[in-house]
Amino acid sequence: MRDPYEVLGVARSADQNEIKRAFRKHAKKLHPDTNKDPKAQEKFAELNAAHELLSEPDTRAKFDRGEIDAEGKPRGFEGFGSGGFGGGPGGFRQARGGPNEAGFESFSFGPEGLRRNAGRGPGMGGAGPGGGGAGGFDDVLSDLLGGFARGRRAGPEAGGRDIEVTVPVPLETVVAGGTVKVGLNGRTIEVKVPPRVAEGYRLRLKGQGEPASIGAAAGDAYVVVAYAPHRTFKVEGPDLRADINVPLADAVLGAKVRVPTLDGSVHLSIPAWTSSGRTFRLRGKGLPKGETESGDLLATVRIALPETPDAELEALMLRRRDGAG
């Protein structure tokens, strides 16, 4: 991931209020529900990860000190700077305490140095006990070159594998927030879903992923919100559709009928002589759309006859049919 300050467009001296404002500003533009750019979801995920890292003072401080990278993963070595380890223009110098303490020996940078160092084996200082703590040469390049090796880990010692699981969330929970049960690595945990999340929203669970090897630290788990099917509502983007049964007499004479919504029932005035199939729009009673707006509920009238035969109604219909004939 890019530098989180660059992703949010703020200075390194920005306070938490500035970071929060910047996140909200960009989130409105990049949210997949309102931005049809195919890359919007990827950019939104990057924005969310940057905000998550910088909004936690402890994590932000570690990043500013160079202890972790933009993805929150520990950097494998000390002294990383613009000139490489040790800050010199040649790129590297021997770590403090000698090769046995740091797990690698000094080596040269540049084409010839890369070839020479690549032959030193996975520990950069030999395969013995004193040379295995720094990871392989490719992993050093991963730390140095950043995006060229994205998706690789710096070795089992630095972390495990991230996993992603999509969880169907009830529509009521999507609006009001709540907890959902998630199966991870053979066990079930409860995850708190914040209010007003949209489909595709990703929740990060630190350390709930898979370890790269036995005894290694676990990666992170990402829970992706999906809309669970609903027995009453049909989802159409941020809008919902529902059929409402209206007795024949109410459709003819007009009445107030109760209409279910995700946050309780409301009364809808049905005008006299409303035909079956007529649709009414209840604004703001749909799914979250952006930070403060919501979609609409489209309620379609379905005229319902009595559950048991009604002799008077039959007689009336016979008189009308015979009279019309």
Side-chain angles (χ1 to χ4, degrees):
M1 190 180 79
R2 291 182 296 152
D3 186 310
Y5 291 101
E6 179 183 341
V7 173
L8 289 168
V10 297
R12 288 183 173 269
S13 58
D15 60 26
Q16 287 299 318
N17 287 332
E18 292 177 275
I19 289 172
K20 188 174 183 179
R21 285 196 299 269
F23 172 72
R24 288 183 173 179
K25 173 185 174 183
H26 294 300
K28 288 181 180 179
K29 297 179 181 178
L30 294 176
H31 198 285
D33 280 355
T34 57
N35 192 321
K36 302 306 179 184
D37 184 345
K39 294 185 177 180
Q41 187 165 348
E42 179 181 344
K43 293 178 181 178
F44 184 80
E46 182 183 48
L47 178 72
N48 193 49
H51 175 253
E52 185 173 306
L53 188 147
L54 296 183
S55 63
E56 296 181 12
D58 182 59
T59 307
R60 179 182 180 183
K62 289 181 179 179
F63 175 77
D64 290 343
R65 292 194 299 265
E67 296 174 10
I68 59 174
D69 62 14
E71 296 181 2
K73 295 184 294 186
R75 295 190 185 277
F77 308 95
E78 298 181 1
F80 182 71
S82 59
F85 292 97
F92 293 82
R93 73 183 183 194
Q94 184 166 319
R96 290 174 291 178
N100 286 339
E101 179 182 327
F104 68 97
E105 296 176 347
S106 61
F107 57 98
S108 305
F109 198 62
E112 181 59 34
L114 296 184
R115 286 193 294 271
R116 187 163 58 247
N117 296 315
R120 295 189 177 183
M124 300 302 297
F137 184 71
D138 285 345
D139 295 321
V140 176
L141 286 183
S142 175
D143 278 343
L144 285 173
L145 304 181
F148 293 142
R150 181 171 294 175
R152 294 181 60 97
R153 292 286 178 176
E157 295 79 8
R161 284 183 284 269
D162 293 344
I163 61 175
E164 184 174 286
V165 57
T166 299
V167 177
V169 179
L171 299 184
E172 290 82 359
T173 304
V174 165
V175 172
T179 59
V180 294
K181 293 184 177 180
V182 180
L184 287 175
N185 299 324
R187 57 195 176 91
T188 301
I189 64 174
E190 285 194 344
V191 175
K192 186 176 182 180
V193 178
R196 300 186 53 79
V197 297
E199 192 166 41
Y201 183 88
R202 300 172 84 236
L203 294 159
R204 181 185 181 190
L205 306 180
K206 294 182 179 180
Q208 297 294 328
E210 297 177 351
S213 62
I214 297 175
D220 298 331
Y222 291 88
V223 176
V224 182
V225 171
Y227 293 152
H230 200 282
R231 62 181 181 179
T232 302
F233 304 110
K234 179 182 178 182
V235 177
E236 293 185 356
D239 295 334
L240 297 173
R241 280 192 178 273
D243 291 339
I244 53 172
N245 294 326
V246 177
L248 177 60
D250 289 346
V252 173
L253 302 175
K256 285 188 175 182
V257 299
R258 294 180 69 86
V259 178
T261 73
L262 291 177
D263 56 359
S265 298
V266 297
H267 283 96
L268 173 66
S269 294
I270 301 292
W273 295 103
T274 294
S275 299
S276 187
R278 182 173 178 181
T279 298
F280 295 86
R281 183 182 294 272
L282 282 70
R283 297 194 180 278
K285 292 299 181 179
L287 294 168
K289 183 174 65 174
E291 287 191 4
T292 57
E293 297 181 0
S294 296
D296 302 329
L297 171 59
L298 306 175
T300 301
V301 170
R302 303 298 179 195
I303 294 179
L305 296 176
E307 294 183 1
T308 57
D310 186 321
E312 292 184 3
L313 180 59
E314 287 183 11
L316 175 62
M317 293 299 103
L318 283 171
R319 288 197 300 271
R320 288 188 59 81
R321 187 177 66 182
D322 294 342

